Amino acid sequence: LQAMSGNEQDWLALRPQEPSPSQCCGSGCKPCIYDVYEKELAQWERAKAMQDKSLLMGKKEQSSNSELNPDTFTAFSVSSVEQLTEDTYQYKFELPGNSSLRLSLGQHIVLRGVVNGLEVQRAYTPISPGNAEGYFEVLIKCYEAGLMSQYIKTWKRGDVVFWRGPFGGFPYRPNKHGELLMLASGTGLAPMIPILQSITDDEEDETFVTLVGCFPTFDKIYLKPLLQDLARYWNIRIFYVLSQETSLEKLPWSYQENTYTGRLNEDLTKTIINSCRRKPFVLICGSSAFNEDMSRYLKASGIEENSCFVF
């Protein structure tokens, strides 16, 4: 067997690496990391066939011009870290000048981290308004054993982090739906916030909103001041469902009348739907188990699939 020529080795070193399953965030991004790989592989094969390395020059997968891009990762620097609950943090990132991410509502972006030499990617939804200038903010829950969480927990002000996107999103139009019913569990609150803010910021938008936030305990409700502000609007109602609280007595009185203890089950879902002022269009965001349960309860309550959107 002839030894591989130096030239062959050079080309092999330049060959794009196939992503491992941990790098795919599973959110159905377009393009997915696998699509990006296919494109780069085709480019590499073409360059190798023509023995022309300059054809690969355009394939840098990191960009530093701070323009968010679905195909390549862009560097952003962390400008502040705020701990919201024992395991949840709000991170603020700098955007150059007064630029904005220009996200449409509920869109997510994908974070890349390297942990113990393994590259991991996860999707997160910014909670800052899509047109916020000079910054964006992301709500992240860190898990004890999570690979990405181990990486995120090391972040401090000034660190540089790589994001690409945006992807997904809910095609919201003002006054298109009479009422939106938002069912959110934990950090599933994230995609709901920009939609709520766009409704309260637009005086012409008269959509009713009922937000149901599911959390283990009162202390674990995120962004309380922001939610309390939103609940003051005439067209916004917010309910809390606290799975691990047994009584409402210890809660501040302002929370007692719109909080339920236990889990969000089929009966409670029906009760909330029946209290809606118009037939709701439903937005769901939580773990896959939560999303499946909610879809089942909605079906039982007579809400058709085309009146639901799952983030």
Side-chain angles (χ1 to χ4, degrees), residues 78-284:
V78 177
S79 58
S80 73
V81 176
E82 188 187 343
Q83 185 164 0
L84 299 183
T85 66
E86 57 182 358
D87 56 6
T88 306
Y89 299 80
Q90 187 169 338
Y91 295 96
K92 194 170 188 175
F93 295 89
E94 235 170 272
L95 288 172
N98 274 345
S99 62
S100 116
L101 283 187
R102 293 192 293 280
L103 297 188
S104 57
L105 293 170
Q107 284 193 309
H108 62 268
I109 53 180
V110 172
L111 169 67
R112 179 176 71 191
V114 177
V115 188
N116 314 332
L118 180 69
E119 186 180 298
V120 194
Q121 300 197 13
R122 292 281 179 276
Y124 298 98
T125 307
I127 54 171
S128 42
N131 56 359
E133 295 183 350
Y135 76 96
F136 66 95
E137 288 174 314
V138 184
L139 181 68
I140 298 181
K141 179 173 178 169
C142 289
Y143 295 90
E144 220 24 73
L147 275 177
M148 187 60 104
S149 299
Q150 291 170 34
Y151 164 60
I152 290 168
K153 278 186 195 159
T154 66
W155 290 355
K156 46 193 191 315
R157 205 190 145 147
D159 284 353
V160 169
V161 173
F162 288 90
W163 294 96
R164 72 182 178 102
F167 303 104
F170 169 62
Y172 179 75
R173 288 208 313 278
N175 299 312
K176 180 181 177 189
H177 304 287
E179 181 149 2
L180 288 177
L181 171 58
M182 301 176 166
L183 305 175
S185 169
T187 47
L189 193 58
M192 309 302 181
I193 298 283
I195 297 173
L196 273 165
Q197 286 179 316
S198 82
I199 292 171
T200 55
D201 287 349
D202 179 355
E203 287 183 5
E204 307 285 299
D205 193 343
E206 300 187 347
T207 306
F208 284 113
V209 182
T210 299
L211 168 65
V212 182
C214 302
F215 298 92
T217 59
F218 180 73
D219 294 338
K220 293 193 173 159
I221 298 175
Y222 312 127
L223 308 170
K224 285 193 192 86
L226 172 64
L227 293 172
Q228 290 290 74
D229 280 348
L230 289 167
R232 292 197 182 99
Y233 284 84
W234 64 275
N235 50 341
I236 312 286
R237 294 189 304 173
I238 300 183
F239 292 114
Y240 300 97
V241 181
L242 307 176
S243 57
Q244 292 166 22
E245 294 280 2
T246 46
S247 115
L248 297 175
E249 283 166 22
K250 295 195 210 63
L251 268 52
W253 66 267
S254 61
Y255 282 86
Q256 290 182 12
E257 58 183 341
N258 55 349
T259 301
Y260 299 90
T261 58
R263 300 194 85 79
L264 179 52
N265 56 22
E266 192 178 309
D267 283 346
L268 182 50
T269 307
K270 277 187 179 156
T271 302
I272 290 172
I273 289 172
N274 291 335
S275 77
C276 286
R277 292 137 293 193
R278 300 176 176 147
K279 191 168 183 176
F281 184 92
V282 190
L283 303 179
I284 306 171

Side-chain angles (χ1 to χ4, degrees), residues 25-27 143 183-188 263 284-298 309-311:
C25 72
S27 301
Y143 295 90
L183 305 175
S185 169
T187 47
R263 300 194 85 79
I284 306 171
C285 189
S287 65
S288 49
F290 176 84
N291 296 349
E292 282 163 24
D293 286 346
M294 294 309 120
S295 301
R296 214 172 51 245
Y297 303 158
L298 292 170
F309 181 88
V310 180
F311 282 99

Side-chain angles (χ1 to χ4, degrees), residues 49-89:
M50 297 173 76
Q51 290 292 304
D52 180 358
K53 287 184 185 150
S54 71
L55 292 175
L56 296 175
M57 291 326 265
K59 77 165 267 303
K60 262 322 264 166
E61 62 152 28
Q62 288 183 11
S63 118
S64 53
N65 63 359
S66 290
E67 270 284 305
L68 190 65
N69 175 330
D71 297 286
T72 55
F73 281 94
T74 301
F76 294 96
S77 96
V78 177
S79 58
S80 73
V81 176
E82 188 187 343
Q83 185 164 0
L84 299 183
T85 66
E86 57 182 358
D87 56 6
T88 306
Y89 299 80

